[in-house]
Amino acid sequence: MTHTLDRTSLLRFAWRAAWDQGRVDALDDLLSPTYVRRRGPAGATQNRDQFKDSIHAVRQAFPDLRTEIEEVVEDGDRLAVRWRSTGRHTGPFLGVPPTRRPVEVSGATFARFDGPAVVEEWVTFDSRQMLEALGIITTAPQAAVDPDLVRGVHRKFTTGVTVVTTDDDGMPRGLACNAFSSISLDPPMVLVCVQRGSATHPALHRASHLGISVLAADQLDVAKVFAAKGDDKFARISWTPGAFGAPLIDGSCAQLEVEIGERLEAGSHTVFTGRVVSARHDDLAPLVYGGGGFFDISHTAPLPW
Ligand SMILES: Cc1cc2nc3c(=O)[nH]c(=O)nc-3n(C[C@H](O)[C@H](O)[C@H](O)COP(=O)(O)O)c2cc1C
């Protein structure tokens, strides 16, 4: 029996026991005690025990999990494995409650051996395939809806007006933005949606932080500056850098600085999500935008509730 067969057989046996049957201690015959598993970008590592725990977690979500080893290629002390896993999602996974959907994920594992034991593995898999199977993202085309109807619906939704800003290597950049929302309070997270055609968009993509200034009722002129294009926007208004460097509009009624977390491509826009790192607000009334017009909220009648 050659060395190749020995390693491949060992790996097949340990994987079947661990992934398909939940007998994770079978991995002790394959993985060195100093084993390190690397997934995706540098930094995301697991040791042998953490890897075993993660197999248990996956098997709790997909109790009928089956992993097919589709191809094994050996080169010196390296072994490359192309694999495909299938299972029905019947337990919570990645915060997603059970969908009862069949899920299929394909990937590749590159193992480095030291003698008979794997000391290091790099794992890569198609995460979009998994997210789609779980119903977290949908890439299949949807039924078309008349864009004018959709626009009409948005005109019924009243918002404030923010100026989303960033410091682009010493150059302040920003645009008017009403696609702003709170995501969560604990941790404090928000999102903004910015069209890819905006001149501010490339700077936001490069940035680590962005600023959000909620305009006050007397700042219609500021809204107009930032709703238009121009390299001199910040020369025409008064602003101050925040604690994290994002330009914040003076006289606005509330201000946030956000450490950008994700940049999600969605249609013609990028959704920037992030964690709030500084916040302040005062008693000024906000500027209101609805039905294509701007309003001063202090002229509206509060309803009893
Ligand atoms: C009330 C209001 C809200 C807006 N909201 C957004 C928005 O949420 N996202 C966006 O990309 N553009 C939005 N815009 C349009 C941009 O502000 C506008 O396209 C601006 O010219 C972009 O500037 P820039 O190209 O210099 O970045 C809004 C405009 C107005 C008047």
Side-chain angles (χ1 to χ4, degrees), residues 159-162 164 173-180 192-202 204 223-231 233 268-270 287-290 292-294:
T159 68
V161 183
T162 75
V164 173
R173 303 242 175 228
L175 80 165
C177 183
N178 68 341
F180 158 67
V192 293
C193 305
V194 177
Q195 50 186 311
R196 273 196 289 279
S198 147
T200 313
H201 182 271
L204 286 170
K224 284 181 181 161
V225 168
F226 283 96
K229 293 206 172 282
D231 285 337
K233 296 184 196 182
S268 56
H269 283 55
T270 302
L287 182 62
V288 170
Y289 180 73
F294 294 88

Side-chain angles (χ1 to χ4, degrees), residues 147-161:
D148 281 340
L149 269 179
V150 178
R151 211 169 285 125
V153 169
H154 290 312
R155 286 169 70 88
K156 297 284 182 194
F157 192 64
T158 301
T159 68
V161 183

Side-chain angles (χ1 to χ4, degrees), residues 128-140:
R128 284 189 75 86
Q129 186 188 15
M130 187 177 72
L131 296 177
E132 186 147 14
L134 289 173
I136 297 173
I137 58 170
T138 305
T139 54

Side-chain angles (χ1 to χ4, degrees), residues 201-221:
H201 182 271
L204 286 170
H205 235 289
R206 289 189 282 270
S208 60
H209 291 76
L210 57 81
I212 299 170
S213 301
V214 180
L215 294 185
D218 65 354
Q219 289 188 305
L220 186 56
D221 51 339

Side-chain angles (χ1 to χ4, degrees), residues 22-23 44-46 57 87 101 127 184 194 203 221-222 227 229-230 256 291:
R23 293 188 292 111
T45 62
Q46 285 179 326
R101 294 183 197 210
S127 53
S184 83
V194 177
D221 51 339
V222 179
K229 293 206 172 282
L256 297 177

